[in-house]
mmCIF file of all heavy atoms in Angstrom:
data_model
loop_
_atom_site.group_PDB
_atom_site.id
_atom_site.type_symbol
_atom_site.label_atom_id
_atom_site.label_comp_id
_atom_site.label_asym_id
_atom_site.label_seq_id
_atom_site.Cartn_x
_atom_site.Cartn_y
_atom_site.Cartn_z
ATOM 1 N N ASP A 9 43.177 -24.034 165.219
ATOM 2 C CA ASP A 9 43.241 -25.023 166.297
ATOM 3 C C ASP A 9 42.083 -24.833 167.271
ATOM 4 O O ASP A 9 41.452 -25.800 167.720
ATOM 5 C CB ASP A 9 44.579 -24.919 167.034
ATOM 6 C CG ASP A 9 45.762 -25.316 166.167
ATOM 7 O OD1 ASP A 9 45.539 -25.844 165.058
ATOM 8 O OD2 ASP A 9 46.917 -25.089 166.584
ATOM 9 N N GLN A 10 41.796 -23.572 167.588
ATOM 10 C CA GLN A 10 40.698 -23.276 168.513
ATOM 11 C C GLN A 10 39.345 -23.654 167.902
ATOM 12 O O GLN A 10 38.479 -24.222 168.581
ATOM 13 C CB GLN A 10 40.712 -21.790 168.885
ATOM 14 C CG GLN A 10 41.909 -21.365 169.725
ATOM 15 C CD GLN A 10 42.005 -19.855 169.896
ATOM 16 O OE1 GLN A 10 41.327 -19.082 169.203
ATOM 17 N NE2 GLN A 10 42.853 -19.424 170.824
ATOM 18 N N THR A 11 39.187 -23.350 166.609
ATOM 19 C CA THR A 11 37.928 -23.665 165.921
ATOM 20 C C THR A 11 37.708 -25.168 165.827
ATOM 21 O O THR A 11 36.603 -25.665 166.065
ATOM 22 C CB THR A 11 37.924 -23.037 164.511
ATOM 23 O OG1 THR A 11 38.097 -21.624 164.619
ATOM 24 C CG2 THR A 11 36.625 -23.336 163.780
ATOM 25 N N ALA A 12 38.764 -25.900 165.489
ATOM 26 C CA ALA A 12 38.661 -27.359 165.390
ATOM 27 C C ALA A 12 38.250 -27.959 166.722
ATOM 28 O O ALA A 12 37.390 -28.857 166.789
ATOM 29 C CB ALA A 12 39.985 -27.951 164.929
ATOM 30 N N GLN A 13 38.831 -27.466 167.801
ATOM 31 C CA GLN A 13 38.493 -27.970 169.135
ATOM 32 C C GLN A 13 37.032 -27.665 169.473
ATOM 33 O O GLN A 13 36.302 -28.530 169.974
ATOM 34 C CB GLN A 13 39.414 -27.349 170.179
ATOM 35 C CG GLN A 13 39.185 -27.905 171.576
ATOM 36 C CD GLN A 13 40.192 -27.370 172.591
ATOM 37 O OE1 GLN A 13 40.963 -26.465 172.302
ATOM 38 N NE2 GLN A 13 40.186 -27.939 173.782
ATOM 39 N N ALA A 14 36.586 -26.437 169.151
ATOM 40 C CA ALA A 14 35.209 -26.040 169.443
ATOM 41 C C ALA A 14 34.201 -26.862 168.634
ATOM 42 O O ALA A 14 33.114 -27.177 169.117
ATOM 43 C CB ALA A 14 35.028 -24.546 169.157
ATOM 44 N N LEU A 15 34.582 -27.227 167.408
ATOM 45 C CA LEU A 15 33.685 -27.992 166.530
ATOM 46 C C LEU A 15 33.740 -29.496 166.801
ATOM 47 O O LEU A 15 32.915 -30.249 166.296
ATOM 48 C CB LEU A 15 34.041 -27.738 165.060
ATOM 49 C CG LEU A 15 33.737 -26.334 164.509
ATOM 50 C CD1 LEU A 15 34.374 -26.157 163.135
ATOM 51 C CD2 LEU A 15 32.230 -26.111 164.429
ATOM 52 N N GLY A 16 34.741 -29.915 167.575
ATOM 53 C CA GLY A 16 34.894 -31.341 167.854
ATOM 54 C C GLY A 16 35.556 -32.109 166.729
ATOM 55 O O GLY A 16 35.309 -33.315 166.556
ATOM 56 N N CYS A 17 36.404 -31.427 165.953
ATOM 57 C CA CYS A 17 37.111 -32.089 164.839
ATOM 58 C C CYS A 17 38.471 -32.607 165.311
ATOM 59 O O CYS A 17 39.309 -31.805 165.746
ATOM 60 C CB CYS A 17 37.337 -31.107 163.688
ATOM 61 S SG CYS A 17 35.838 -30.491 162.929
ATOM 62 N N PRO A 18 38.715 -33.910 165.231
ATOM 63 C CA PRO A 18 40.042 -34.424 165.575
ATOM 64 C C PRO A 18 41.119 -33.750 164.724
ATOM 65 O O PRO A 18 40.943 -33.577 163.511
ATOM 66 C CB PRO A 18 39.932 -35.918 165.253
ATOM 67 C CG PRO A 18 38.465 -36.214 165.315
ATOM 68 C CD PRO A 18 37.785 -34.980 164.834
ATOM 69 N N LEU A 19 42.228 -33.374 165.370
ATOM 70 C CA LEU A 19 43.280 -32.624 164.678
ATOM 71 C C LEU A 19 44.643 -33.222 165.002
ATOM 72 O O LEU A 19 44.917 -33.589 166.147
ATOM 73 C CB LEU A 19 43.217 -31.156 165.124
ATOM 74 C CG LEU A 19 44.243 -30.173 164.561
ATOM 75 C CD1 LEU A 19 43.641 -28.760 164.492
ATOM 76 C CD2 LEU A 19 45.519 -30.112 165.417
ATOM 77 N N ARG A 20 45.465 -33.342 163.956
ATOM 78 C CA ARG A 20 46.841 -33.791 164.154
ATOM 79 C C ARG A 20 47.791 -32.757 163.560
ATOM 80 O O ARG A 20 47.496 -32.174 162.510
ATOM 81 C CB ARG A 20 47.077 -35.142 163.484
ATOM 82 C CG ARG A 20 46.217 -36.273 164.027
ATOM 83 C CD ARG A 20 46.512 -37.567 163.294
ATOM 84 N NE ARG A 20 45.470 -38.563 163.527
ATOM 85 C CZ ARG A 20 45.382 -39.706 162.872
ATOM 86 N NH1 ARG A 20 46.262 -40.001 161.940
ATOM 87 N NH2 ARG A 20 44.414 -40.563 163.137
ATOM 88 N N VAL A 21 48.925 -32.568 164.208
ATOM 89 C CA VAL A 21 49.939 -31.609 163.758
ATOM 90 C C VAL A 21 51.072 -32.367 163.079
ATOM 91 O O VAL A 21 51.508 -33.415 163.565
ATOM 92 C CB VAL A 21 50.480 -30.794 164.955
ATOM 93 C CG1 VAL A 21 51.581 -29.829 164.506
ATOM 94 C CG2 VAL A 21 49.351 -30.031 165.644
ATOM 95 N N ASP A 22 51.535 -31.826 161.938
ATOM 96 C CA ASP A 22 52.643 -32.440 161.188
ATOM 97 C C ASP A 22 52.391 -33.927 160.907
ATOM 98 O O ASP A 22 53.245 -34.789 161.129
ATOM 99 C CB ASP A 22 53.975 -32.259 161.930
ATOM 100 C CG ASP A 22 54.399 -30.802 162.020
ATOM 101 O OD1 ASP A 22 54.026 -30.030 161.103
ATOM 102 O OD2 ASP A 22 55.082 -30.423 162.992
ATOM 103 N N GLU A 23 51.201 -34.205 160.391
ATOM 104 C CA GLU A 23 50.795 -35.583 160.108
ATOM 105 C C GLU A 23 51.373 -36.069 158.774
ATOM 106 O O GLU A 23 51.164 -35.435 157.727
ATOM 107 C CB GLU A 23 49.264 -35.661 160.055
ATOM 108 C CG GLU A 23 48.704 -37.013 159.650
ATOM 109 C CD GLU A 23 48.895 -38.104 160.694
ATOM 110 O OE1 GLU A 23 49.408 -37.792 161.799
ATOM 111 O OE2 GLU A 23 48.525 -39.258 160.418
ATOM 112 N N PRO A 24 52.142 -37.174 158.769
ATOM 113 C CA PRO A 24 52.718 -37.685 157.514
ATOM 114 C C PRO A 24 51.623 -38.083 156.521
ATOM 115 O O PRO A 24 50.765 -38.906 156.832
ATOM 116 C CB PRO A 24 53.524 -38.907 157.957
ATOM 117 C CG PRO A 24 53.743 -38.719 159.430
ATOM 118 C CD PRO A 24 52.538 -37.987 159.937
ATOM 119 N N MET A 25 51.672 -37.511 155.334
ATOM 120 C CA MET A 25 50.652 -37.816 154.324
ATOM 121 C C MET A 25 50.848 -39.194 153.712
ATOM 122 O O MET A 25 49.937 -39.728 153.078
ATOM 123 C CB MET A 25 50.648 -36.741 153.244
ATOM 124 C CG MET A 25 50.073 -35.401 153.719
ATOM 125 S SD MET A 25 48.376 -35.562 154.322
ATOM 126 C CE MET A 25 47.532 -36.003 152.804
ATOM 127 N N ALA A 26 52.021 -39.787 153.916
ATOM 128 C CA ALA A 26 52.252 -41.152 153.444
ATOM 129 C C ALA A 26 51.260 -42.122 154.081
ATOM 130 O O ALA A 26 50.963 -43.176 153.519
ATOM 131 C CB ALA A 26 53.682 -41.590 153.753
ATOM 132 N N ARG A 27 50.712 -41.753 155.232
ATOM 133 C CA ARG A 27 49.731 -42.608 155.911
ATOM 134 C C ARG A 27 48.340 -42.497 155.278
ATOM 135 O O ARG A 27 47.457 -43.287 155.608
ATOM 136 C CB ARG A 27 49.614 -42.207 157.385
ATOM 137 C CG ARG A 27 50.861 -42.419 158.221
ATOM 138 C CD ARG A 27 50.650 -41.897 159.630
ATOM 139 N NE ARG A 27 51.843 -42.056 160.459
ATOM 140 C CZ ARG A 27 51.990 -41.516 161.665
ATOM 141 N NH1 ARG A 27 51.005 -40.783 162.178
ATOM 142 N NH2 ARG A 27 53.096 -41.699 162.354
ATOM 143 N N HIS A 28 48.148 -41.523 154.417
ATOM 144 C CA HIS A 28 46.799 -41.217 153.942
ATOM 145 C C HIS A 28 46.667 -41.211 152.420
ATOM 146 O O HIS A 28 45.674 -40.732 151.891
ATOM 147 C CB HIS A 28 46.351 -39.863 154.500
ATOM 148 C CG HIS A 28 46.398 -39.804 155.998
ATOM 149 N ND1 HIS A 28 45.447 -40.397 156.795
ATOM 150 C CD2 HIS A 28 47.318 -39.252 156.832
ATOM 151 C CE1 HIS A 28 45.757 -40.198 158.069
ATOM 152 N NE2 HIS A 28 46.883 -39.519 158.130
ATOM 153 N N THR A 29 47.675 -41.719 151.719
ATOM 154 C CA THR A 29 47.585 -41.826 150.262
ATOM 155 C C THR A 29 47.842 -43.271 149.851
ATOM 156 O O THR A 29 48.607 -43.989 150.513
ATOM 157 C CB THR A 29 48.621 -40.916 149.548
ATOM 158 O OG1 THR A 29 49.950 -41.367 149.868
ATOM 159 C CG2 THR A 29 48.463 -39.466 149.982
ATOM 160 N N THR A 30 47.206 -43.699 148.766
ATOM 161 C CA THR A 30 47.387 -45.076 148.312
ATOM 162 C C THR A 30 48.808 -45.318 147.801
ATOM 163 O O THR A 30 49.247 -46.460 147.724
ATOM 164 C CB THR A 30 46.374 -45.431 147.206
ATOM 165 O OG1 THR A 30 46.522 -44.522 146.105
ATOM 166 C CG2 THR A 30 44.943 -45.348 147.735
ATOM 167 N N PHE A 31 49.519 -44.234 147.464
ATOM 168 C CA PHE A 31 50.920 -44.339 147.037
ATOM 169 C C PHE A 31 51.843 -44.580 148.236
ATOM 170 O O PHE A 31 52.985 -44.993 148.084
ATOM 171 C CB PHE A 31 51.360 -43.047 146.339
ATOM 172 C CG PHE A 31 51.926 -43.234 144.968
ATOM 173 C CD1 PHE A 31 51.722 -42.270 143.991
ATOM 174 C CD2 PHE A 31 52.670 -44.343 144.629
ATOM 175 C CE1 PHE A 31 52.244 -42.417 142.710
ATOM 176 C CE2 PHE A 31 53.203 -44.505 143.354
ATOM 177 C CZ PHE A 31 52.980 -43.531 142.393
ATOM 178 N N GLN A 32 51.343 -44.252 149.437
ATOM 179 C CA GLN A 32 52.134 -44.308 150.673
ATOM 180 C C GLN A 32 53.378 -43.424 150.564
ATOM 181 O O GLN A 32 54.478 -43.789 150.972
ATOM 182 C CB GLN A 32 52.500 -45.758 151.025
ATOM 183 C CG GLN A 32 51.276 -46.611 151.320
ATOM 184 C CD GLN A 32 51.588 -48.045 151.653
ATOM 185 O OE1 GLN A 32 52.743 -48.404 151.944
ATOM 186 N NE2 GLN A 32 50.591 -48.914 151.604
ATOM 187 N N ILE A 33 53.144 -42.249 149.978
ATOM 188 C CA ILE A 33 54.202 -41.256 149.779
ATOM 189 C C ILE A 33 53.671 -39.906 150.243
ATOM 190 O O ILE A 33 52.498 -39.601 150.047
ATOM 191 C CB ILE A 33 54.605 -41.169 148.288
ATOM 192 C CG1 ILE A 33 55.329 -42.452 147.832
ATOM 193 C CG2 ILE A 33 55.480 -39.948 148.007
ATOM 194 C CD1 ILE A 33 55.579 -42.519 146.338
ATOM 195 N N GLY A 34 54.548 -39.101 150.833
ATOM 196 C CA GLY A 34 54.155 -37.736 151.166
ATOM 197 C C GLY A 34 54.650 -37.292 152.527
ATOM 198 O O GLY A 34 54.554 -38.024 153.514
ATOM 199 N N GLY A 35 55.170 -36.066 152.579
ATOM 200 C CA GLY A 35 55.655 -35.490 153.826
ATOM 201 C C GLY A 35 54.520 -34.991 154.703
ATOM 202 O O GLY A 35 53.346 -35.239 154.428
ATOM 203 N N PRO A 36 54.864 -34.263 155.777
ATOM 204 C CA PRO A 36 53.860 -33.879 156.773
ATOM 205 C C PRO A 36 52.954 -32.729 156.331
ATOM 206 O O PRO A 36 53.401 -31.774 155.702
ATOM 207 C CB PRO A 36 54.704 -33.458 157.978
ATOM 208 C CG PRO A 36 55.994 -32.983 157.372
ATOM 209 C CD PRO A 36 56.231 -33.848 156.177
ATOM 210 N N ALA A 37 51.675 -32.843 156.714
ATOM 211 C CA ALA A 37 50.735 -31.731 156.567
ATOM 212 C C ALA A 37 50.780 -30.932 157.862
ATOM 213 O O ALA A 37 50.780 -31.510 158.956
ATOM 214 C CB ALA A 37 49.331 -32.250 156.314
ATOM 215 N N ASP A 38 50.802 -29.606 157.747
ATOM 216 C CA ASP A 38 50.849 -28.771 158.955
ATOM 217 C C ASP A 38 49.708 -29.132 159.900
ATOM 218 O O ASP A 38 49.901 -29.274 161.104
ATOM 219 C CB ASP A 38 50.738 -27.282 158.576
ATOM 220 C CG ASP A 38 52.000 -26.753 157.901
ATOM 221 O OD1 ASP A 38 53.017 -27.468 157.899
ATOM 222 O OD2 ASP A 38 51.948 -25.633 157.374
ATOM 223 N N ARG A 39 48.492 -29.253 159.338
ATOM 224 C CA ARG A 39 47.323 -29.643 160.126
ATOM 225 C C ARG A 39 46.520 -30.674 159.348
ATOM 226 O O ARG A 39 46.275 -30.505 158.153
ATOM 227 C CB ARG A 39 46.426 -28.439 160.442
ATOM 228 C CG ARG A 39 47.047 -27.403 161.370
ATOM 229 C CD ARG A 39 47.265 -27.974 162.766
ATOM 230 N NE ARG A 39 47.724 -26.975 163.703
ATOM 231 C CZ ARG A 39 49.015 -26.632 163.877
ATOM 232 N NH1 ARG A 39 49.962 -27.202 163.130
ATOM 233 N NH2 ARG A 39 49.343 -25.731 164.781
ATOM 234 N N PHE A 40 46.119 -31.728 160.035
ATOM 235 C CA PHE A 40 45.310 -32.780 159.429
ATOM 236 C C PHE A 40 44.053 -32.912 160.274
ATOM 237 O O PHE A 40 44.111 -33.308 161.441
ATOM 238 C CB PHE A 40 46.087 -34.105 159.395
ATOM 239 C CG PHE A 40 45.402 -35.214 158.654
ATOM 240 C CD1 PHE A 40 45.675 -35.432 157.312
ATOM 241 C CD2 PHE A 40 44.485 -36.047 159.297
ATOM 242 C CE1 PHE A 40 45.054 -36.468 156.621
ATOM 243 C CE2 PHE A 40 43.853 -37.068 158.611
ATOM 244 C CZ PHE A 40 44.142 -37.281 157.270
ATOM 245 N N LEU A 41 42.901 -32.551 159.704
ATOM 246 C CA LEU A 41 41.657 -32.533 160.450
ATOM 247 C C LEU A 41 40.666 -33.530 159.862
ATOM 248 O O LEU A 41 40.498 -33.587 158.639
ATOM 249 C CB LEU A 41 41.020 -31.142 160.420
ATOM 250 C CG LEU A 41 41.863 -30.001 160.985
ATOM 251 C CD1 LEU A 41 42.480 -29.196 159.855
ATOM 252 C CD2 LEU A 41 41.009 -29.089 161.856
ATOM 253 N N THR A 42 40.018 -34.301 160.716
ATOM 254 C CA THR A 42 38.957 -35.192 160.266
ATOM 255 C C THR A 42 37.619 -34.474 160.432
ATOM 256 O O THR A 42 37.288 -34.010 161.525
ATOM 257 C CB THR A 42 38.956 -36.497 161.076
ATOM 258 O OG1 THR A 42 40.217 -37.152 160.889
ATOM 259 C CG2 THR A 42 37.851 -37.431 160.605
ATOM 260 N N VAL A 43 36.892 -34.351 159.329
ATOM 261 C CA VAL A 43 35.623 -33.616 159.301
ATOM 262 C C VAL A 43 34.491 -34.627 159.169
ATOM 263 O O VAL A 43 34.492 -35.448 158.253
ATOM 264 C CB VAL A 43 35.595 -32.639 158.101
ATOM 265 C CG1 VAL A 43 34.419 -31.695 158.230
ATOM 266 C CG2 VAL A 43 36.892 -31.846 158.016
ATOM 267 N N GLU A 44 33.524 -34.577 160.083
ATOM 268 C CA GLU A 44 32.522 -35.640 160.145
ATOM 269 C C GLU A 44 31.126 -35.242 159.689
ATOM 270 O O GLU A 44 30.270 -36.103 159.514
ATOM 271 C CB GLU A 44 32.481 -36.200 161.570
ATOM 272 C CG GLU A 44 33.828 -36.816 161.958
ATOM 273 C CD GLU A 44 33.824 -37.462 163.327
ATOM 274 O OE1 GLU A 44 32.998 -37.065 164.165
ATOM 275 O OE2 GLU A 44 34.661 -38.358 163.545
ATOM 276 N N ASN A 45 30.891 -33.957 159.476
ATOM 277 C CA ASN A 45 29.567 -33.539 158.995
ATOM 278 C C ASN A 45 29.653 -32.175 158.316
ATOM 279 O O ASN A 45 30.682 -31.490 158.398
ATOM 280 C CB ASN A 45 28.535 -33.515 160.134
ATOM 281 C CG ASN A 45 28.975 -32.628 161.288
ATOM 282 O OD1 ASN A 45 29.232 -31.447 161.108
ATOM 283 N ND2 ASN A 45 29.048 -33.208 162.485
ATOM 284 N N ALA A 46 28.570 -31.788 157.659
ATOM 285 C CA ALA A 46 28.547 -30.547 156.870
ATOM 286 C C ALA A 46 28.728 -29.317 157.751
ATOM 287 O O ALA A 46 29.383 -28.340 157.341
ATOM 288 C CB ALA A 46 27.234 -30.450 156.096
ATOM 289 N N ALA A 47 28.159 -29.336 158.973
ATOM 290 C CA ALA A 47 28.290 -28.182 159.864
ATOM 291 C C ALA A 47 29.755 -27.944 160.238
ATOM 292 O O ALA A 47 30.228 -26.800 160.262
ATOM 293 C CB ALA A 47 27.443 -28.393 161.121
ATOM 294 N N GLN A 48 30.466 -29.023 160.528
ATOM 295 C CA GLN A 48 31.894 -28.895 160.831
ATOM 296 C C GLN A 48 32.649 -28.348 159.622
ATOM 297 O O GLN A 48 33.515 -27.466 159.753
ATOM 298 C CB GLN A 48 32.477 -30.245 161.237
ATOM 299 C CG GLN A 48 32.057 -30.738 162.609
ATOM 300 C CD GLN A 48 32.705 -32.063 162.950
ATOM 301 O OE1 GLN A 48 33.233 -32.767 162.083
ATOM 302 N NE2 GLN A 48 32.675 -32.427 164.232
ATOM 303 N N LEU A 49 32.322 -28.871 158.437
ATOM 304 C CA LEU A 49 33.005 -28.429 157.228
ATOM 305 C C LEU A 49 32.757 -26.943 156.976
ATOM 306 O O LEU A 49 33.687 -26.196 156.657
ATOM 307 C CB LEU A 49 32.536 -29.264 156.030
ATOM 308 C CG LEU A 49 33.202 -28.967 154.679
ATOM 309 C CD1 LEU A 49 34.717 -29.074 154.771
ATOM 310 C CD2 LEU A 49 32.672 -29.918 153.602
ATOM 311 N N GLN A 50 31.517 -26.495 157.148
ATOM 312 C CA GLN A 50 31.206 -25.077 156.956
ATOM 313 C C GLN A 50 31.958 -24.212 157.963
ATOM 314 O O GLN A 50 32.495 -23.164 157.612
ATOM 315 C CB GLN A 50 29.700 -24.853 157.080
ATOM 316 C CG GLN A 50 28.916 -25.360 155.875
ATOM 317 C CD GLN A 50 27.415 -25.293 156.082
ATOM 318 O OE1 GLN A 50 26.900 -25.721 157.107
ATOM 319 N NE2 GLN A 50 26.715 -24.758 155.098
ATOM 320 N N GLY A 51 32.028 -24.658 159.206
ATOM 321 C CA GLY A 51 32.747 -23.908 160.235
ATOM 322 C C GLY A 51 34.232 -23.802 159.936
ATOM 323 O O GLY A 51 34.847 -22.732 160.094
ATOM 324 N N LEU A 52 34.813 -24.900 159.484
ATOM 325 C CA LEU A 52 36.247 -24.888 159.160
ATOM 326 C C LEU A 52 36.546 -24.025 157.940
ATOM 327 O O LEU A 52 37.543 -23.299 157.908
ATOM 328 C CB LEU A 52 36.741 -26.320 158.926
ATOM 329 C CG LEU A 52 36.833 -27.204 160.167
ATOM 330 C CD1 LEU A 52 37.183 -28.632 159.786
ATOM 331 C CD2 LEU A 52 37.867 -26.658 161.150
#
Side-chain angles (χ1 to χ4, degrees):
D9 293 350
Q10 292 171 347
T11 302
Q13 184 175 9
L15 291 170
C17 297
L19 179 150
R20 298 179 196 171
V21 178
D22 295 331
E23 175 70 4
M25 288 302 294
R27 295 176 181 170
H28 303 283
T29 64
T30 58
F31 235 146
Q32 297 179 15
I33 291 172
D38 288 350
R39 293 294 186 274
F40 186 93
L41 301 102
T42 299
V43 191
E44 298 183 335
N45 56 57
Q48 288 181 344
L49 182 55
Q50 286 173 312
L52 289 174

